[in-house]
Amino acid sequence: MSATLIIDRRPDPTMPSGCGSGCGCASASKPPVPPPSDGPVSVNGVAIAAEAIAREIQHHPASDGATAWRAAAQALVVRELLL
């Protein structure tokens, strides 16, 4: 009985040099987006933390940071209303 040895000669995968998504990773070419100055976000007396909005923003692509921030804040407000 003989064995066959298969050698994979594909190059190792590489990450792109800059993601440009604004996520704050080391390869991002843009600085993090500051929150818009619309004031604090709250619903039914529950404050929505800026850190929570910053984490949510990755799920709301937009043409600019302020639009993405507002969409993320709105999503968290709706979530709080449903809870």
Side-chain angles (χ1 to χ4, degrees):
M1 178 155 112
S2 69
T4 303
L5 177 63
I6 299 173
I7 300 173
D8 187 2
R9 298 194 186 274
R10 292 179 287 180
D12 291 333
T14 58
M15 295 297 292
S17 61
C19 70
S21 69
C23 67
C25 67
S27 64
S29 59
K30 299 178 186 176
V33 177
S37 59
D38 293 343
V41 178
S42 65
V43 61
N44 291 341
V46 176
I48 308 294
E51 293 80 17
I53 298 171
R55 284 190 304 271
E56 179 69 20
I57 202 169
Q58 66 182 327
H59 303 294
H60 304 276
S63 59
D64 60 89
T67 303
W69 185 272
R70 287 183 184 95
Q74 182 178 9
L76 292 175
V77 165
V78 170
R79 179 181 183 273
E80 184 61 36
L81 285 171
L82 292 172
L83 290 173

PDB file of all heavy atoms in Angstrom, residues 2-45:
ATOM      1  N   SER A   2       0.575   2.225  -0.841  1.00  0.00           N
ATOM      2  CA  SER A   2       1.397   3.431  -0.913  1.00  0.00           C
ATOM      3  C   SER A   2       0.584   4.636  -0.436  1.00  0.00           C
ATOM      4  O   SER A   2      -0.629   4.680  -0.551  1.00  0.00           O
ATOM      5  CB  SER A   2       1.893   3.664  -2.341  1.00  0.00           C
ATOM      6  OG  SER A   2       0.809   4.011  -3.159  1.00  0.00           O
ATOM      7  N   ALA A   3       1.291   5.612   0.106  1.00  0.00           N
ATOM      8  CA  ALA A   3       0.657   6.841   0.592  1.00  0.00           C
ATOM      9  C   ALA A   3       1.014   7.977  -0.346  1.00  0.00           C
ATOM     10  O   ALA A   3       2.103   8.015  -0.910  1.00  0.00           O
ATOM     11  CB  ALA A   3       1.140   7.152   1.998  1.00  0.00           C
ATOM     12  N   THR A   4       0.084   8.880  -0.505  1.00  0.00           N
ATOM     13  CA  THR A   4       0.316  10.041  -1.353  1.00  0.00           C
ATOM     14  C   THR A   4       0.421  11.273  -0.467  1.00  0.00           C
ATOM     15  O   THR A   4      -0.434  11.523   0.380  1.00  0.00           O
ATOM     16  CB  THR A   4      -0.847  10.228  -2.336  1.00  0.00           C
ATOM     17  OG1 THR A   4      -0.983   9.034  -3.102  1.00  0.00           O
ATOM     18  CG2 THR A   4      -0.587  11.394  -3.263  1.00  0.00           C
ATOM     19  N   LEU A   5       1.464  12.044  -0.666  1.00  0.00           N
ATOM     20  CA  LEU A   5       1.680  13.268   0.088  1.00  0.00           C
ATOM     21  C   LEU A   5       1.305  14.450  -0.805  1.00  0.00           C
ATOM     22  O   LEU A   5       1.838  14.600  -1.904  1.00  0.00           O
ATOM     23  CB  LEU A   5       3.136  13.385   0.525  1.00  0.00           C
ATOM     24  CG  LEU A   5       3.527  14.659   1.256  1.00  0.00           C
ATOM     25  CD1 LEU A   5       2.764  14.757   2.569  1.00  0.00           C
ATOM     26  CD2 LEU A   5       5.014  14.690   1.511  1.00  0.00           C
ATOM     27  N   ILE A   6       0.373  15.268  -0.350  1.00  0.00           N
ATOM     28  CA  ILE A   6      -0.050  16.433  -1.100  1.00  0.00           C
ATOM     29  C   ILE A   6       0.496  17.671  -0.409  1.00  0.00           C
ATOM     30  O   ILE A   6       0.263  17.877   0.781  1.00  0.00           O
ATOM     31  CB  ILE A   6      -1.585  16.502  -1.195  1.00  0.00           C
ATOM     32  CG1 ILE A   6      -2.112  15.258  -1.914  1.00  0.00           C
ATOM     33  CG2 ILE A   6      -2.023  17.769  -1.903  1.00  0.00           C
ATOM     34  CD1 ILE A   6      -3.601  15.148  -1.918  1.00  0.00           C
ATOM     35  N   ILE A   7       1.199  18.506  -1.159  1.00  0.00           N
ATOM     36  CA  ILE A   7       1.775  19.726  -0.608  1.00  0.00           C
ATOM     37  C   ILE A   7       1.034  20.914  -1.191  1.00  0.00           C
ATOM     38  O   ILE A   7       0.940  21.059  -2.408  1.00  0.00           O
ATOM     39  CB  ILE A   7       3.282  19.826  -0.919  1.00  0.00           C
ATOM     40  CG1 ILE A   7       4.012  18.634  -0.305  1.00  0.00           C
ATOM     41  CG2 ILE A   7       3.847  21.148  -0.431  1.00  0.00           C
ATOM     42  CD1 ILE A   7       5.464  18.539  -0.674  1.00  0.00           C
ATOM     43  N   ASP A   8       0.513  21.735  -0.320  1.00  0.00           N
ATOM     44  CA  ASP A   8      -0.216  22.932  -0.741  1.00  0.00           C
ATOM     45  C   ASP A   8       0.784  24.064  -0.915  1.00  0.00           C
ATOM     46  O   ASP A   8       1.408  24.503   0.038  1.00  0.00           O
ATOM     47  CB  ASP A   8      -1.266  23.293   0.316  1.00  0.00           C
ATOM     48  CG  ASP A   8      -2.165  24.430  -0.126  1.00  0.00           C
ATOM     49  OD1 ASP A   8      -2.008  24.908  -1.265  1.00  0.00           O
ATOM     50  OD2 ASP A   8      -3.022  24.830   0.669  1.00  0.00           O
ATOM     51  N   ARG A   9       0.941  24.567  -2.117  1.00  0.00           N
ATOM     52  CA  ARG A   9       1.927  25.611  -2.401  1.00  0.00           C
ATOM     53  C   ARG A   9       1.295  26.984  -2.598  1.00  0.00           C
ATOM     54  O   ARG A   9       1.910  27.875  -3.153  1.00  0.00           O
ATOM     55  CB  ARG A   9       2.745  25.235  -3.623  1.00  0.00           C
ATOM     56  CG  ARG A   9       3.533  23.970  -3.405  1.00  0.00           C
ATOM     57  CD  ARG A   9       4.583  23.814  -4.470  1.00  0.00           C
ATOM     58  NE  ARG A   9       5.252  22.536  -4.368  1.00  0.00           N
ATOM     59  CZ  ARG A   9       6.295  22.292  -3.600  1.00  0.00           C
ATOM     60  NH1 ARG A   9       6.802  23.235  -2.881  1.00  0.00           N
ATOM     61  NH2 ARG A   9       6.846  21.099  -3.570  1.00  0.00           N
ATOM     62  N   ARG A  10       0.060  27.178  -2.143  1.00  0.00           N
ATOM     63  CA  ARG A  10      -0.562  28.499  -2.241  1.00  0.00           C
ATOM     64  C   ARG A  10       0.096  29.453  -1.253  1.00  0.00           C
ATOM     65  O   ARG A  10       0.496  29.048  -0.166  1.00  0.00           O
ATOM     66  CB  ARG A  10      -2.054  28.417  -1.933  1.00  0.00           C
ATOM     67  CG  ARG A  10      -2.825  27.666  -2.998  1.00  0.00           C
ATOM     68  CD  ARG A  10      -4.267  27.605  -2.646  1.00  0.00           C
ATOM     69  NE  ARG A  10      -4.402  26.647  -1.537  1.00  0.00           N
ATOM     70  CZ  ARG A  10      -5.536  26.330  -0.955  1.00  0.00           C
ATOM     71  NH1 ARG A  10      -6.655  26.887  -1.328  1.00  0.00           N
ATOM     72  NH2 ARG A  10      -5.579  25.453   0.019  1.00  0.00           N
ATOM     73  N   PRO A  11       0.191  30.736  -1.601  1.00  0.00           N
ATOM     74  CA  PRO A  11       0.784  31.703  -0.661  1.00  0.00           C
ATOM     75  C   PRO A  11      -0.133  31.911   0.538  1.00  0.00           C
ATOM     76  O   PRO A  11      -1.351  31.710   0.460  1.00  0.00           O
ATOM     77  CB  PRO A  11       0.909  32.982  -1.489  1.00  0.00           C
ATOM     78  CG  PRO A  11      -0.102  32.832  -2.576  1.00  0.00           C
ATOM     79  CD  PRO A  11      -0.215  31.352  -2.856  1.00  0.00           C
ATOM     80  N   ASP A  12       0.460  32.317   1.646  1.00  0.00           N
ATOM     81  CA  ASP A  12      -0.326  32.621   2.830  1.00  0.00           C
ATOM     82  C   ASP A  12      -1.227  33.822   2.549  1.00  0.00           C
ATOM     83  O   ASP A  12      -0.814  34.772   1.882  1.00  0.00           O
ATOM     84  CB  ASP A  12       0.583  32.947   4.026  1.00  0.00           C
ATOM     85  CG  ASP A  12       1.334  31.724   4.520  1.00  0.00           C
ATOM     86  OD1 ASP A  12       0.825  30.599   4.330  1.00  0.00           O
ATOM     87  OD2 ASP A  12       2.422  31.893   5.096  1.00  0.00           O
ATOM     88  N   PRO A  13      -2.462  33.800   3.059  1.00  0.00           N
ATOM     89  CA  PRO A  13      -3.348  34.951   2.843  1.00  0.00           C
ATOM     90  C   PRO A  13      -2.819  36.182   3.567  1.00  0.00           C
ATOM     91  O   PRO A  13      -2.194  36.083   4.616  1.00  0.00           O
ATOM     92  CB  PRO A  13      -4.685  34.497   3.433  1.00  0.00           C
ATOM     93  CG  PRO A  13      -4.350  33.386   4.363  1.00  0.00           C
ATOM     94  CD  PRO A  13      -3.089  32.760   3.860  1.00  0.00           C
ATOM     95  N   THR A  14      -3.080  37.348   2.996  1.00  0.00           N
ATOM     96  CA  THR A  14      -2.662  38.596   3.628  1.00  0.00           C
ATOM     97  C   THR A  14      -3.867  39.502   3.785  1.00  0.00           C
ATOM     98  O   THR A  14      -4.798  39.466   2.979  1.00  0.00           O
ATOM     99  CB  THR A  14      -1.594  39.321   2.789  1.00  0.00           C
ATOM    100  OG1 THR A  14      -2.132  39.567   1.495  1.00  0.00           O
ATOM    101  CG2 THR A  14      -0.321  38.502   2.686  1.00  0.00           C
ATOM    102  N   MET A  15      -3.826  40.323   4.804  1.00  0.00           N
ATOM    103  CA  MET A  15      -4.897  41.273   5.057  1.00  0.00           C
ATOM    104  C   MET A  15      -4.669  42.514   4.199  1.00  0.00           C
ATOM    105  O   MET A  15      -3.538  42.876   3.909  1.00  0.00           O
ATOM    106  CB  MET A  15      -4.921  41.675   6.537  1.00  0.00           C
ATOM    107  CG  MET A  15      -5.266  40.536   7.472  1.00  0.00           C
ATOM    108  SD  MET A  15      -6.906  39.885   7.197  1.00  0.00           S
ATOM    109  CE  MET A  15      -7.903  41.249   7.723  1.00  0.00           C
ATOM    110  N   PRO A  16      -5.743  43.191   3.790  1.00  0.00           N
ATOM    111  CA  PRO A  16      -5.555  44.442   3.043  1.00  0.00           C
ATOM    112  C   PRO A  16      -4.827  45.474   3.895  1.00  0.00           C
ATOM    113  O   PRO A  16      -4.912  45.440   5.120  1.00  0.00           O
ATOM    114  CB  PRO A  16      -6.975  44.900   2.719  1.00  0.00           C
ATOM    115  CG  PRO A  16      -7.900  43.966   3.381  1.00  0.00           C
ATOM    116  CD  PRO A  16      -7.117  42.856   3.990  1.00  0.00           C
ATOM    117  N   SER A  17      -4.154  46.399   3.255  1.00  0.00           N
ATOM    118  CA  SER A  17      -3.346  47.366   3.994  1.00  0.00           C
ATOM    119  C   SER A  17      -4.172  48.388   4.755  1.00  0.00           C
ATOM    120  O   SER A  17      -3.732  48.909   5.753  1.00  0.00           O
ATOM    121  CB  SER A  17      -2.395  48.084   3.046  1.00  0.00           C
ATOM    122  OG  SER A  17      -3.148  48.781   2.078  1.00  0.00           O
ATOM    123  N   GLY A  18      -5.359  48.704   4.320  1.00  0.00           N
ATOM    124  CA  GLY A  18      -6.194  49.668   5.027  1.00  0.00           C
ATOM    125  C   GLY A  18      -7.662  49.374   4.778  1.00  0.00           C
ATOM    126  O   GLY A  18      -8.107  49.340   3.643  1.00  0.00           O
ATOM    127  N   CYS A  19      -8.408  49.141   5.843  1.00  0.00           N
ATOM    128  CA  CYS A  19      -9.812  48.786   5.645  1.00  0.00           C
ATOM    129  C   CYS A  19     -10.663  50.016   5.368  1.00  0.00           C
ATOM    130  O   CYS A  19     -11.660  49.932   4.677  1.00  0.00           O
ATOM    131  CB  CYS A  19     -10.346  48.014   6.842  1.00  0.00           C
ATOM    132  SG  CYS A  19     -10.540  48.986   8.340  1.00  0.00           S
ATOM    133  N   GLY A  20     -10.322  51.188   5.931  1.00  0.00           N
ATOM    134  CA  GLY A  20     -11.051  52.407   5.656  1.00  0.00           C
ATOM    135  C   GLY A  20     -12.468  52.447   6.190  1.00  0.00           C
ATOM    136  O   GLY A  20     -13.255  53.293   5.807  1.00  0.00           O
ATOM    137  N   SER A  21     -12.828  51.526   7.085  1.00  0.00           N
ATOM    138  CA  SER A  21     -14.204  51.485   7.573  1.00  0.00           C
ATOM    139  C   SER A  21     -14.454  52.409   8.750  1.00  0.00           C
ATOM    140  O   SER A  21     -15.598  52.601   9.134  1.00  0.00           O
ATOM    141  CB  SER A  21     -14.556  50.058   7.992  1.00  0.00           C
ATOM    142  OG  SER A  21     -13.829  49.695   9.157  1.00  0.00           O
ATOM    143  N   GLY A  22     -13.396  52.940   9.340  1.00  0.00           N
ATOM    144  CA  GLY A  22     -13.582  53.787  10.515  1.00  0.00           C
ATOM    145  C   GLY A  22     -13.739  52.993  11.792  1.00  0.00           C
ATOM    146  O   GLY A  22     -14.160  53.531  12.806  1.00  0.00           O
ATOM    147  N   CYS A  23     -13.399  51.711  11.741  1.00  0.00           N
ATOM    148  CA  CYS A  23     -13.588  50.859  12.912  1.00  0.00           C
ATOM    149  C   CYS A  23     -12.516  51.086  13.980  1.00  0.00           C
ATOM    150  O   CYS A  23     -12.652  50.607  15.092  1.00  0.00           O
ATOM    151  CB  CYS A  23     -13.613  49.396  12.501  1.00  0.00           C
ATOM    152  SG  CYS A  23     -12.035  48.798  11.862  1.00  0.00           S
ATOM    153  N   GLY A  24     -11.448  51.781  13.643  1.00  0.00           N
ATOM    154  CA  GLY A  24     -10.404  52.051  14.617  1.00  0.00           C
ATOM    155  C   GLY A  24      -9.290  51.025  14.622  1.00  0.00           C
ATOM    156  O   GLY A  24      -8.412  51.067  15.470  1.00  0.00           O
ATOM    157  N   CYS A  25      -9.309  50.068  13.691  1.00  0.00           N
ATOM    158  CA  CYS A  25      -8.243  49.076  13.661  1.00  0.00           C
ATOM    159  C   CYS A  25      -6.935  49.743  13.229  1.00  0.00           C
ATOM    160  O   CYS A  25      -6.928  50.845  12.701  1.00  0.00           O
ATOM    161  CB  CYS A  25      -8.603  47.913  12.750  1.00  0.00           C
ATOM    162  SG  CYS A  25      -8.695  48.323  11.004  1.00  0.00           S
ATOM    163  N   ALA A  26      -5.839  49.067  13.446  1.00  0.00           N
ATOM    164  CA  ALA A  26      -4.535  49.653  13.173  1.00  0.00           C
ATOM    165  C   ALA A  26      -4.326  49.956  11.700  1.00  0.00           C
ATOM    166  O   ALA A  26      -3.565  50.845  11.349  1.00  0.00           O
ATOM    167  CB  ALA A  26      -3.437  48.712  13.665  1.00  0.00           C
ATOM    168  N   SER A  27      -5.042  49.245  10.818  1.00  0.00           N
ATOM    169  CA  SER A  27      -4.828  49.473   9.394  1.00  0.00           C
ATOM    170  C   SER A  27      -5.765  50.524   8.823  1.00  0.00           C
ATOM    171  O   SER A  27      -5.674  50.851   7.652  1.00  0.00           O
ATOM    172  CB  SER A  27      -5.014  48.156   8.631  1.00  0.00           C
ATOM    173  OG  SER A  27      -6.347  47.712   8.754  1.00  0.00           O
ATOM    174  N   ALA A  28      -6.664  51.041   9.604  1.00  0.00           N
ATOM    175  CA  ALA A  28      -7.617  52.028   9.101  1.00  0.00           C
ATOM    176  C   ALA A  28      -6.896  53.320   8.721  1.00  0.00           C
ATOM    177  O   ALA A  28      -6.018  53.786   9.423  1.00  0.00           O
ATOM    178  CB  ALA A  28      -8.691  52.318  10.138  1.00  0.00           C
ATOM    179  N   SER A  29      -7.309  53.889   7.613  1.00  0.00           N
ATOM    180  CA  SER A  29      -6.648  55.112   7.168  1.00  0.00           C
ATOM    181  C   SER A  29      -7.328  56.370   7.693  1.00  0.00           C
ATOM    182  O   SER A  29      -6.769  57.443   7.624  1.00  0.00           O
ATOM    183  CB  SER A  29      -6.619  55.141   5.638  1.00  0.00           C
ATOM    184  OG  SER A  29      -7.939  55.084   5.134  1.00  0.00           O
ATOM    185  N   LYS A  30      -8.554  56.258   8.203  1.00  0.00           N
ATOM    186  CA  LYS A  30      -9.284  57.413   8.711  1.00  0.00           C
ATOM    187  C   LYS A  30      -9.290  57.405  10.239  1.00  0.00           C
ATOM    188  O   LYS A  30      -9.308  56.350  10.852  1.00  0.00           O
ATOM    189  CB  LYS A  30     -10.740  57.361   8.236  1.00  0.00           C
ATOM    190  CG  LYS A  30     -10.910  57.386   6.740  1.00  0.00           C
ATOM    191  CD  LYS A  30     -12.378  57.281   6.408  1.00  0.00           C
ATOM    192  CE  LYS A  30     -12.617  57.165   4.920  1.00  0.00           C
ATOM    193  NZ  LYS A  30     -14.035  56.979   4.615  1.00  0.00           N
ATOM    194  N   PRO A  31      -9.291  58.583  10.862  1.00  0.00           N
ATOM    195  CA  PRO A  31      -9.403  58.617  12.319  1.00  0.00           C
ATOM    196  C   PRO A  31     -10.817  58.238  12.740  1.00  0.00           C
ATOM    197  O   PRO A  31     -11.758  58.328  11.955  1.00  0.00           O
ATOM    198  CB  PRO A  31      -9.101  60.083  12.664  1.00  0.00           C
ATOM    199  CG  PRO A  31      -9.438  60.832  11.420  1.00  0.00           C
ATOM    200  CD  PRO A  31      -9.152  59.896  10.275  1.00  0.00           C
ATOM    201  N   PRO A  32     -11.021  57.788  13.991  1.00  0.00           N
ATOM    202  CA  PRO A  32     -12.355  57.434  14.453  1.00  0.00           C
ATOM    203  C   PRO A  32     -13.294  58.630  14.368  1.00  0.00           C
ATOM    204  O   PRO A  32     -12.887  59.775  14.523  1.00  0.00           O
ATOM    205  CB  PRO A  32     -12.158  57.009  15.904  1.00  0.00           C
ATOM    206  CG  PRO A  32     -10.712  56.949  16.134  1.00  0.00           C
ATOM    207  CD  PRO A  32     -10.005  57.594  14.992  1.00  0.00           C
ATOM    208  N   VAL A  33     -14.551  58.341  14.108  1.00  0.00           N
ATOM    209  CA  VAL A  33     -15.547  59.393  13.939  1.00  0.00           C
ATOM    210  C   VAL A  33     -16.048  59.855  15.302  1.00  0.00           C
ATOM    211  O   VAL A  33     -16.516  59.043  16.101  1.00  0.00           O
ATOM    212  CB  VAL A  33     -16.734  58.856  13.107  1.00  0.00           C
ATOM    213  CG1 VAL A  33     -17.821  59.900  12.980  1.00  0.00           C
ATOM    214  CG2 VAL A  33     -16.257  58.391  11.750  1.00  0.00           C
ATOM    215  N   PRO A  34     -15.950  61.149  15.603  1.00  0.00           N
ATOM    216  CA  PRO A  34     -16.492  61.630  16.876  1.00  0.00           C
ATOM    217  C   PRO A  34     -18.022  61.673  16.802  1.00  0.00           C
ATOM    218  O   PRO A  34     -18.580  61.808  15.715  1.00  0.00           O
ATOM    219  CB  PRO A  34     -15.912  63.034  17.001  1.00  0.00           C
ATOM    220  CG  PRO A  34     -15.654  63.462  15.607  1.00  0.00           C
ATOM    221  CD  PRO A  34     -15.315  62.211  14.839  1.00  0.00           C
ATOM    222  N   PRO A  35     -18.696  61.560  17.930  1.00  0.00           N
ATOM    223  CA  PRO A  35     -20.155  61.607  17.906  1.00  0.00           C
ATOM    224  C   PRO A  35     -20.650  62.991  17.504  1.00  0.00           C
ATOM    225  O   PRO A  35     -20.013  63.991  17.798  1.00  0.00           O
ATOM    226  CB  PRO A  35     -20.551  61.287  19.343  1.00  0.00           C
ATOM    227  CG  PRO A  35     -19.350  61.595  20.157  1.00  0.00           C
ATOM    228  CD  PRO A  35     -18.168  61.394  19.264  1.00  0.00           C
ATOM    229  N   PRO A  36     -21.801  63.046  16.815  1.00  0.00           N
ATOM    230  CA  PRO A  36     -22.360  64.356  16.497  1.00  0.00           C
ATOM    231  C   PRO A  36     -22.774  65.084  17.769  1.00  0.00           C
ATOM    232  O   PRO A  36     -23.035  64.461  18.791  1.00  0.00           O
ATOM    233  CB  PRO A  36     -23.586  64.037  15.635  1.00  0.00           C
ATOM    234  CG  PRO A  36     -23.625  62.577  15.452  1.00  0.00           C
ATOM    235  CD  PRO A  36     -22.567  61.962  16.291  1.00  0.00           C
ATOM    236  N   SER A  37     -22.848  66.381  17.703  1.00  0.00           N
ATOM    237  CA  SER A  37     -23.171  67.160  18.900  1.00  0.00           C
ATOM    238  C   SER A  37     -24.679  67.360  19.037  1.00  0.00           C
ATOM    239  O   SER A  37     -25.148  68.468  19.268  1.00  0.00           O
ATOM    240  CB  SER A  37     -22.449  68.501  18.850  1.00  0.00           C
ATOM    241  OG  SER A  37     -22.854  69.201  17.686  1.00  0.00           O
ATOM    242  N   ASP A  38     -25.461  66.304  18.882  1.00  0.00           N
ATOM    243  CA  ASP A  38     -26.908  66.373  19.026  1.00  0.00           C
ATOM    244  C   ASP A  38     -27.339  66.278  20.485  1.00  0.00           C
ATOM    245  O   ASP A  38     -28.516  66.371  20.779  1.00  0.00           O
ATOM    246  CB  ASP A  38     -27.582  65.244  18.239  1.00  0.00           C
ATOM    247  CG  ASP A  38     -27.397  65.405  16.737  1.00  0.00           C
ATOM    248  OD1 ASP A  38     -27.049  66.508  16.295  1.00  0.00           O
ATOM    249  OD2 ASP A  38     -27.596  64.414  16.026  1.00  0.00           O
ATOM    250  N   GLY A  39     -26.399  66.047  21.373  1.00  0.00           N
ATOM    251  CA  GLY A  39     -26.721  65.889  22.787  1.00  0.00           C
ATOM    252  C   GLY A  39     -26.827  64.421  23.160  1.00  0.00           C
ATOM    253  O   GLY A  39     -26.650  63.536  22.336  1.00  0.00           O
ATOM    254  N   PRO A  40     -27.111  64.160  24.432  1.00  0.00           N
ATOM    255  CA  PRO A  40     -27.194  62.768  24.895  1.00  0.00           C
ATOM    256  C   PRO A  40     -28.407  62.053  24.279  1.00  0.00           C
ATOM    257  O   PRO A  40     -29.409  62.675  23.931  1.00  0.00           O
ATOM    258  CB  PRO A  40     -27.334  62.899  26.407  1.00  0.00           C
ATOM    259  CG  PRO A  40     -27.793  64.292  26.645  1.00  0.00           C
ATOM    260  CD  PRO A  40     -27.325  65.119  25.496  1.00  0.00           C
ATOM    261  N   VAL A  41     -28.281  60.740  24.165  1.00  0.00           N
ATOM    262  CA  VAL A  41     -29.357  59.921  23.603  1.00  0.00           C
ATOM    263  C   VAL A  41     -29.999  59.166  24.748  1.00  0.00           C
ATOM    264  O   VAL A  41     -29.324  58.494  25.532  1.00  0.00           O
ATOM    265  CB  VAL A  41     -28.798  58.926  22.557  1.00  0.00           C
ATOM    266  CG1 VAL A  41     -29.901  58.037  22.006  1.00  0.00           C
ATOM    267  CG2 VAL A  41     -28.086  59.677  21.441  1.00  0.00           C
ATOM    268  N   SER A  42     -31.327  59.281  24.858  1.00  0.00           N
ATOM    269  CA  SER A  42     -32.047  58.531  25.883  1.00  0.00           C
ATOM    270  C   SER A  42     -33.462  58.249  25.401  1.00  0.00           C
ATOM    271  O   SER A  42     -33.986  58.943  24.519  1.00  0.00           O
ATOM    272  CB  SER A  42     -32.089  59.298  27.210  1.00  0.00           C
ATOM    273  OG  SER A  42     -32.844  60.477  27.066  1.00  0.00           O
ATOM    274  N   VAL A  43     -34.076  57.226  25.983  1.00  0.00           N
ATOM    275  CA  VAL A  43     -35.450  56.866  25.667  1.00  0.00           C
ATOM    276  C   VAL A  43     -36.089  56.286  26.929  1.00  0.00           C
ATOM    277  O   VAL A  43     -35.479  55.481  27.622  1.00  0.00           O
ATOM    278  CB  VAL A  43     -35.522  55.874  24.477  1.00  0.00           C
ATOM    279  CG1 VAL A  43     -34.805  54.578  24.768  1.00  0.00           C
ATOM    280  CG2 VAL A  43     -36.957  55.588  24.089  1.00  0.00           C
ATOM    281  N   ASN A  44     -37.277  56.756  27.246  1.00  0.00           N
ATOM    282  CA  ASN A  44     -37.995  56.296  28.441  1.00  0.00           C
ATOM    283  C   ASN A  44     -37.146  56.423  29.703  1.00  0.00           C
ATOM    284  O   ASN A  44     -37.198  55.567  30.588  1.00  0.00           O
ATOM    285  CB  ASN A  44     -38.481  54.854  28.283  1.00  0.00           C
ATOM    286  CG  ASN A  44     -39.577  54.734  27.252  1.00  0.00           C
ATOM    287  OD1 ASN A  44     -40.218  55.722  26.896  1.00  0.00           O
ATOM    288  ND2 ASN A  44     -39.794  53.521  26.768  1.00  0.00           N
ATOM    289  N   GLY A  45     -36.319  57.457  29.769  1.00  0.00           N
ATOM    290  CA  GLY A  45     -35.482  57.666  30.945  1.00  0.00           C
ATOM    291  C   GLY A  45     -34.223  56.824  30.990  1.00  0.00           C
ATOM    292  O   GLY A  45     -33.456  56.892  31.939  1.00  0.00           O
TER     293      GLY A  45
END
